[in-house]
């Protein structure tokens, strides 16, 4: 519940406000006053008559009606204060800075629940407990520093951790990134990250509101809510980047399938962000750098471009230009060579020894006028999408003049210009003046390229429709309902029937514990064939797979050998096929739903772990994006004279599998490994499915 009393309170009371600005109670009061809060500010402190020049109330019962209360007292006192203020003083919004609640003890959780119950009873908004507060252009209700520059078009930042929020703000301030609001949700008992996004979505005004949202997430409590509102905001023109901390899993994980060994909560996060169109970041420097990229491209220039962004680099230092070129190329972007008559004309205008090949090196002695010439040249080049300018201080030119040129060109040029000003120490005043003029600074060129790679490879939000073409949903339900196994791996014939119902092509196969029946099927389909033991999950580990069997005698011998393997129940025989081995799997993650994984198949899936994840149900666009994001995509596309796979067929199977999962939620884990791609065909060769009914 987010209300006006929280966002634009006419009056605020700080319970526990003090004169000691080195403690949270005093720091909150200081920040409110220095932030220019124009409403009525009240303080409750039983031991002080005056707090930072404001007359203090000794008892909260003496207060007049107030909109917002900020609590900076011991946890044990907070529930009683909330009840008193909500019931008798018409307080309808609370920010509880205090710690010592559910994040520490069971007793603290009970205190927290009492607070929530009271807030729900009286219709109060609740931020916290255990947070640094809320910062917006109306009031600075935080106890920490730094206080960033606030601007209506700045970043909305929502954090699940107070201390981390401070560190991210530190990183952002040094880059010149402005903010519109900072939300520290703490324990998020009532208002979590999803709730804030919901409010921003439902109240979004394209003319008034910030279009950049940065998130630091420690726990996704409602993935569907996050997906829905993040997707809506991005479709309305916003751009969102996020860190999800705590996605890795310590220690080894017992798994009974390839998917189980690879899929994790991190796969679910990756799939959720991909589906929503959220740029995923892994550290605060990357997050704030992405925020700065959004600021530079706030008119959306990069959205209409292909993933192979074409960049011109203007520098007066060769090394950084080379490192930036390498990093951009590694990220799939282009630094195209500059040649021809125009290049020669530019070179003639620059200092002797300058290079225009791209990077354009104007030399350490190149000044403001040379910088302007190079930028103007890049602005006129039709095969350049963006310009990156590296300009520090070699101690030979007037930096103020160069940065003034850069300022003017950023305002004049149609193409986005990324300023890389590395001399934040030796040219500190010049850099700060540049930032004060409303710009950002990427002090490290490789960090910029890495963050830009994340931005460019993030797909647009996916459509939420379920693709049912070619999928026999009623048949799928009949098969699932007929399975007798309550919890475990289903028999191969059932797996085959489910894949057939989903429209996923499978290789002809036959399962039996009778040797004569196995041989008869092999004669019918034609040699060579493959034999696989039935009854075990990891067949290869126990010698339960025999390939390229070319005669009845060899098949009979392999049958006898496999039936001697412990726990073997039967043998499966299939027609021997060849082709590129692909992998497709899925695992159900609590709250997220089914995470679908694709990649190279065979033994490579666990060795290389080159997989891409998506959240079911998937669209064709999502499946295409998953395939293209694989590091092995060049292999799938065809390399060194080898023909590529039928990507469309692979994507179609991925989509159909996701639809199968949508209507068969009892499936908790499955592998198709391998899928064989040969020519225009992609066929499932080996599959297994685990259900929980």
């Amino acid at each position: 519940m987010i209300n006006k009393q929280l966002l634009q309170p006419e009056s605020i009371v700080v319970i526990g406000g003090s004169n000691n600005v080195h403690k949270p109670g005093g720091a909150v009061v200081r920040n409110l006053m220095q932030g220019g809060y124009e409403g009525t500010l009240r303080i409750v402190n039983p031991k002080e008559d005056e707090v930072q020049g404001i007359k203090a109330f000794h008892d909260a019962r003496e207060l007049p009606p107030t909109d917002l209360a900020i609590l900076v007292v011991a946890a044990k006192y907070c529930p009683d204060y909330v009840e008193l203020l909500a019931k008798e003083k018409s307080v309808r919004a609370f920010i509880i800075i205090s710690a010592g609640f559910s994040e520490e003890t069971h007793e603290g959780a009970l205190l927290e629940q009492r607070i929530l119950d009271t807030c729900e009873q009286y219709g109060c908004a609740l931020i916290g407990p255990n947070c640094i507060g809320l910062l917006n252009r109306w009031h600075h209700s935080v106890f920490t520093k730094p206080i960033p520059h606030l601007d209506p078009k700045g970043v909305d930042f929502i954090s699940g951790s107070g201390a981390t929020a401070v560190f991210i703000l530190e990183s952002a301030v040094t880059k010149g990134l402005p903010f519109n609001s900072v939300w520290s949700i703490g324990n998020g008992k009532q208002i979590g990250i999803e709730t804030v996004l919901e409010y921003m979505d439902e109240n979004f005004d394209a003319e008034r509101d910030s279009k950049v949202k940065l998130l630091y997430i420690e726990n996704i409590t409602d993935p569907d809510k996050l997906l829905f509102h993040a997707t809506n905001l991005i479709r309305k023109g916003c751009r969102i980047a996020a860190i999800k901390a705590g996605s890795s899993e310590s220690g080894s994980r017992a798994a009974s399938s390839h998917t189980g060994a690879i899929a994790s909560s991190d796969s679910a996060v990756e799939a959720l962000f991909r589906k929503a169109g959220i740029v995923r970041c892994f550290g605060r420097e990357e997050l704030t750098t992405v925020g700065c990229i959004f600021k530079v491209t706030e008119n959306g220039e990069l959205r209409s471009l292909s993933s192979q962004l074409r960049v011109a680099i203007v520098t007066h230092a060769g090394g950084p230009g080379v490192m930036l070129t390498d990093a951009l190329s590694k990220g799939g972007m282009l630094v195209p060579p500059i040649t021809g008559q125009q290049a020669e004309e530019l070179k003639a205008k620059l200092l002797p020894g300058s290079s225009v090949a791209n990077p354009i090196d104007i030399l350490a002695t190149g000044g403001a006028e040379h910088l302007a010439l190079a930028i103007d040249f890049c602005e006129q080049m039709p095969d350049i999408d963006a310009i990156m300018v590296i300009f520090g201080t070699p101690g030979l030119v007037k930096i103020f003049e160069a940065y003034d040129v850069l300022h003017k060109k950023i305002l004049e040029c149609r193409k986005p210009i990324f300023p890389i000003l590395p001399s934040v120490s030796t040219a500190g005043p010049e850099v700060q003046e540049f930032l004060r003029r409303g710009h950002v600074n990427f002090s490290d060129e490789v960090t910029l390229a890495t963050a830009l790679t994340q931005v460019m490879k993030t797909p647009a939000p996916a459509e939420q429709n379920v693709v049912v073409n070619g999928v026999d949903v009623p048949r799928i339900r009949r098969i699932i309902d007929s399975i007798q196994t309550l919890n475990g791996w289903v028999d191969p014939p059932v797996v085959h029937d489910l894949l057939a119902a989903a429209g996923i092509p499978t290789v002809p196969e036959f399962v039996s514990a009778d040797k004569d029946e196995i041989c008869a099927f092999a004669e019918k389909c034609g040699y060579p064939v493959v034999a696989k033991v039935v009854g075990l999950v990891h067949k290869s580990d126990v010698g339960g797979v025999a390939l390229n069997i070319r005669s009845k005698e060899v098949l009979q011998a392999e049958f006898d050998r496999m039936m001697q393997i412990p726990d073997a129940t039967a043998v499966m025989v299939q027609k021997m096929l060849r082709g590129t081995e692909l992998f497709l799997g899925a695992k159900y993650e609590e709250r997220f739903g089914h995470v679908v994984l694709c990649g190279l198949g065979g033994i490579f899936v666990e060795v290389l772990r080159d997989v891409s994840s998506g959240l079911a149900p998937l669209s064709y666009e999502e499946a295409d994006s998953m395939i293209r994001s694989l590091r092995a995509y060049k292999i799938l596309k065809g390399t060194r004279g080898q023909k590529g796979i039928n990507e469309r067929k692979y994507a179609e199977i991925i989509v159909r599998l996701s639809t199968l999962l949508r209507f068969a939620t009892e499936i908790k884990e499955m592998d198709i490994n391998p899928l064989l791609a040969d020519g225009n065909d992609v066929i499932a060769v080996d599959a297994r499915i685990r259900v929980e009914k």
Side-chain angles (χ1 to χ4, degrees):
M1 178 186 297
I2 297 174
N3 54 27
K4 184 177 180 181
Q5 290 91 334
L6 177 65
L7 299 178
Q8 298 177 337
E10 298 296 334
S11 53
I12 299 175
V13 59
V14 181
I15 308 294
S18 73
N19 286 306
N20 188 345
V21 297
H22 299 293
K23 291 187 176 181
V28 169
V29 176
R30 175 202 63 202
N31 287 344
L32 282 165
M33 295 175 66
Q34 291 182 355
Y37 174 63
E38 296 180 356
T40 302
L41 181 58
R42 302 180 176 117
I43 313 294
V44 172
N45 187 318
K47 299 179 181 179
E48 300 282 356
D49 295 326
E50 186 176 284
V51 171
Q52 299 183 43
I54 300 174
K55 184 181 182 302
F57 293 86
H58 290 165
D59 193 316
R61 286 181 287 242
E62 302 170 1
L63 286 168
T66 305
D67 284 347
L68 167 66
I70 304 170
L71 274 59
V72 201
V73 294
K76 62 183 179 181
Y77 301 121
C78 289
D80 290 338
Y81 269 120
V82 170
E83 185 169 359
L84 168 68
L85 295 169
K87 181 179 181 180
E88 300 182 17
K89 304 302 176 182
S90 301
V91 172
R92 290 299 175 261
F94 291 90
I95 298 174
I96 301 182
I97 305 292
S98 314
F101 292 92
S102 62
E103 79 281 1
E104 291 189 8
T105 64
H106 174 68
E107 291 75 15
L110 296 177
L111 295 176
E112 193 173 291
Q113 187 60 47
R114 275 188 58 197
I115 291 170
L116 178 63
D117 291 343
T118 302
C119 287
E120 296 296 321
Q121 180 182 352
Y122 291 98
C124 304
L126 170 63
I127 294 286
N130 184 32
C131 67
I132 64 170
L134 172 65
L135 171 69
N136 63 22
R137 289 177 289 114
W138 191 275
H139 62 106
H140 297 183
S141 296
V142 295
F143 69 90
T144 55
K145 288 187 174 182
I147 303 295
H149 172 64
L150 296 175
D151 184 281
K153 298 301 182 182
V155 171
D156 288 320
F157 174 41
I158 315 166
S159 177
S161 164
T164 306
V166 172
F167 300 151
I168 290 173
L169 288 174
E170 290 272 9
S171 172
V173 165
T174 61
K175 296 178 176 68
L177 184 63
F179 285 77
N180 177 58
S181 66
V182 177
W183 300 69
S184 167
I185 62 157
N187 294 353
K189 190 64 177 178
Q190 182 198 72
I191 297 174
I193 288 176
E194 299 93 336
T195 310
V196 179
L197 284 178
E198 177 183 37
Y199 179 85
M200 291 178 176
D201 174 23
E202 294 179 349
N203 296 275
F204 183 71
D205 184 330
E207 298 298 321
R208 182 195 68 208
D209 293 343
S210 166
K211 294 183 180 179
V212 176
K213 321 293 180 188
L214 300 184
L215 316 176
Y216 174 80
I217 306 172
E218 291 191 338
N219 183 37
I220 300 176
T221 57
D222 193 337
D224 286 339
K225 192 173 183 179
L226 177 64
L227 173 64
F228 180 79
H229 293 294
T231 298
N232 280 355
L233 283 166
I234 293 172
R235 286 184 174 147
K236 290 174 181 177
C238 292
R239 305 166 94 176
I240 303 177
I243 297 172
K244 170 60 178 77
S247 295
S248 63
E249 297 188 10
S250 60
S252 61
R253 172 181 176 139
S256 53
S257 71
H258 296 293
T259 303
I262 297 168
S264 65
S265 58
D266 189 66
S267 302
V269 171
E270 185 74 27
L272 176 66
F273 284 11
R274 173 185 289 274
K275 199 173 192 70
I278 297 171
V279 178
R280 189 175 187 188
C281 301
F282 295 90
R284 58 180 181 269
E285 285 299 313
E286 186 177 19
L287 181 68
T288 55
T289 301
V290 169
C292 290
I293 291 170
F294 289 162
K295 173 69 175 170
V296 169
T297 61
E298 58 191 343
N299 295 324
E301 296 96 333
L302 299 183
R303 290 190 166 206
S304 61
L305 303 175
S306 68
S307 59
Q308 286 199 304
L309 185 73
R310 300 167 298 180
V311 179
I313 300 171
V314 179
T315 180
H316 65 174
V322 173
M323 288 190 289
L324 179 55
T325 301
D326 289 344
L328 290 170
S329 300
K330 182 180 179 181
M333 288 163 279
L334 299 177
V335 183
I338 298 174
T339 58
Q341 183 178 349
Q342 286 181 308
E344 292 302 319
E345 290 175 0
L346 173 63
K347 190 171 184 179
K349 296 176 183 178
L350 300 177
L351 295 174
S354 299
S355 170
V356 296
N358 200 13
I360 300 172
D361 188 350
I362 64 174
L363 303 181
T365 49
E369 67 276 18
H370 304 105
L371 179 62
L373 285 168
I375 293 175
D376 287 342
F377 174 81
C378 297
E379 171 72 2
Q380 298 305 317
M381 289 189 63
D383 57 348
I384 293 298
D385 303 312
I387 306 165
M388 296 185 177
V389 177
I390 305 173
F391 207 100
T393 171
L396 302 174
V397 297
K398 296 179 179 179
I399 295 295
F400 271 120
E401 292 181 2
Y403 290 177
D404 187 56
V405 164
L406 187 55
H407 161 71
K408 292 175 181 177
K409 295 303 177 185
I410 289 173
L411 298 180
E412 295 171 0
C413 290
R414 175 182 52 84
K415 296 173 182 176
I417 298 176
F418 296 83
I420 303 166
L421 315 179
S423 302
V424 293
S425 176
T426 54
E430 294 90 339
V431 172
Q432 289 304 311
E433 176 60 26
F434 180 79
L435 298 182
R436 277 192 289 270
R437 300 176 85 169
H439 304 298
V440 295
N441 175 31
F442 304 92
S443 60
D444 183 84
E445 60 279 348
V446 175
T447 302
L448 165 60
T450 302
L452 187 58
T453 299
Q454 288 295 99
V455 173
M456 297 305 297
K457 78 176 188 180
T458 300
E463 295 295 331
Q464 302 299 313
N465 299 328
V466 181
V467 179
V468 294
N469 291 343
V471 179
D472 190 339
V473 175
R475 182 182 172 191
I476 288 172
R477 285 311 317 165
R478 287 196 298 271
I479 296 169
I480 290 291
D481 293 338
S482 67
I483 294 174
Q484 299 300 313
T485 303
L486 296 179
N487 189 348
W489 298 92
V490 302
D491 294 332
V494 178
V495 175
H496 188 277
D497 289 346
L498 280 171
L499 295 181
I504 298 173
T506 57
V507 63
E509 64 183 32
F510 181 73
V511 177
S512 177
D514 185 291
K515 187 192 304 183
D516 292 336
E517 290 181 348
I518 289 290
C519 292
F521 178 83
E523 294 289 344
K524 181 179 178 181
C525 73
Y527 290 97
V529 296
V530 178
K532 302 175 183 179
V533 69
V534 175
L536 294 92
V537 175
H538 291 297
K539 297 181 279 291
S540 297
D541 294 347
V542 294
V545 178
L547 305 176
N548 203 28
I549 299 172
R550 295 184 172 274
S551 68
K552 178 179 180 180
E553 292 74 21
V554 174
L555 178 59
Q556 289 174 325
E558 289 293 348
F559 178 91
D560 292 337
R561 181 183 66 81
M562 289 183 185
M563 290 301 291
Q564 298 302 312
I565 296 174
D567 299 323
T569 58
V571 170
M572 175 194 294
V573 65
Q574 298 172 322
K575 177 68 178 176
M576 178 74 182
L577 300 176
R578 297 188 182 277
T580 301
E581 292 189 344
L582 306 175
F583 165 78
L584 187 56
K587 188 172 189 303
Y588 183 83
E589 285 287 337
E590 195 66 36
R591 302 196 313 274
F592 288 83
H594 284 99
V595 179
V596 179
L597 304 172
C598 72
L600 277 180
I603 63 172
F604 297 109
V605 63
E606 286 191 34
V607 175
L608 300 180
R609 289 180 176 260
D610 177 22
V611 295
S612 181
S613 60
L615 204 59
L618 295 165
S619 65
Y620 287 111
E621 291 75 17
E622 286 179 277
D624 287 336
S625 175
M626 289 170 63
I627 294 169
R628 292 191 181 115
S629 68
L630 293 166
R631 295 194 301 275
Y633 177 62
K634 288 184 179 180
I635 297 175
L636 303 185
K637 196 169 181 62
T639 185
R640 288 185 168 275
Q642 292 188 353
K643 188 178 179 181
I645 71 166
N646 187 327
E647 293 179 44
R648 186 62 182 173
K649 280 278 184 70
Y650 191 19
E652 184 178 272
I653 291 173
I654 293 172
V655 171
R656 290 185 173 187
L657 176 72
S658 78
T659 303
L660 164 66
L661 298 168
R662 170 66 178 79
F663 292 102
T665 55
E666 295 90 342
I667 296 175
K668 301 305 178 186
E669 192 173 339
M670 71 174 295
D671 281 343
I672 305 178
N673 185 32
L675 280 162
L676 277 182
D678 182 21
N680 287 322
D681 294 325
V682 180
I683 300 175
V685 173
D686 196 1
R688 50 201 165 186
I689 293 175
R690 184 175 66 82
V691 299
E692 290 181 12
K693 299 187 70 176

